Amino acid sequence: PANCLEIDVVNPKTHGFGRQRYTDYEVRMKTNLPIFRTKDSTVRRRYSDFDWLRQELERETKILVPPLPDKALSRQLPWVGEKDGLFNDDFIEERRKGLEIFINKVAGHPLAQNEKSLHEFLQAPEVDHNYIPGKVRAR
């Protein structure tokens, strides 16, 4: 069969209260590409994890890394009401779509597929920000 790499960003969940509140997303990957050790994985990631991946790829590769959806700083201002803030359902859905587009563009790039940071992001239960950057070899 043809090479296949499908990544879905789904099932956003908001956790915590007040300043400790955040939303994370389920990142599901299915692939038959030999470079990936695990062919089927599901992890939960926050926006900050996507941002970490973007920064790692910019630092470690020569590829043009696509932008993330914006940080929505205007939605985080103290006077912004609950219905217009970071946890508004429409905003969460827009961000989810943007994150899904981002991760599919990145993961679809052959040079990015060799980066440990991408494998860490897609397959590790928790992103280890102290991982050792490097290349992954197909098995």
Side-chain angles (χ1 to χ4, degrees):
N3 284 345
C4 163
L5 175 63
E6 288 178 24
I7 303 171
D8 296 314
V9 177
V10 295
N11 196 15
K13 282 201 172 110
T14 298
H15 310 270
F17 298 94
R19 293 174 108 16
Q20 303 303 312
R21 203 167 177 203
Y22 66 92
T23 301
D24 66 8
Y25 304 82
E26 194 173 289
V27 179
R28 296 182 190 157
M29 181 193 75
K30 286 188 185 323
T31 186
N32 64 4
L33 295 175
I35 193 80
F36 290 99
R37 198 176 32 223
T38 307
K39 301 304 177 198
D40 199 335
S41 65
T42 301
V43 295
R44 291 204 72 84
R45 296 292 182 251
R46 296 172 65 162
Y47 180 91
S48 58
D49 296 321
F50 285 86
D51 194 34
W52 169 84
L53 175 62
R54 184 174 195 287
Q55 289 175 34
E56 288 299 303
L57 291 172
E58 282 185 335
R59 194 167 48 96
E60 296 296 324
T61 69
K62 301 217 179 331
I63 66 174
L64 183 61
V65 183
L68 282 166
D70 73 9
K71 275 189 101 63
L73 296 174
S74 63
R75 289 180 173 270
Q76 299 174 45
L77 298 170
W79 58 84
V80 173
E82 187 71 20
K83 69 178 182 26
D84 297 318
L86 282 177
F87 305 105
N88 168 286
D89 289 344
D90 292 338
F91 171 71
I92 288 172
E93 176 57 16
E94 281 304 303
R95 181 174 265 187
R96 183 204 65 75
K97 287 179 189 168
L99 294 173
E100 187 171 80
I101 290 166
F102 166 81
I103 194 60
N104 276 284
K105 282 183 178 173
V106 165
H109 195 293
L111 293 177
Q113 291 171 4
N114 295 325
E115 292 300 319
K116 281 188 182 173
S117 57
L118 180 64
H119 291 252
E120 179 78 21
F121 178 89
L122 288 172
Q123 300 184 319
E126 301 288 325
V127 172
D128 176 6
H129 294 267
N130 298 315
Y131 87 113
I132 293 149
K135 306 288 182 224
V136 174
R137 306 232 182 286
R139 296 175 188 270

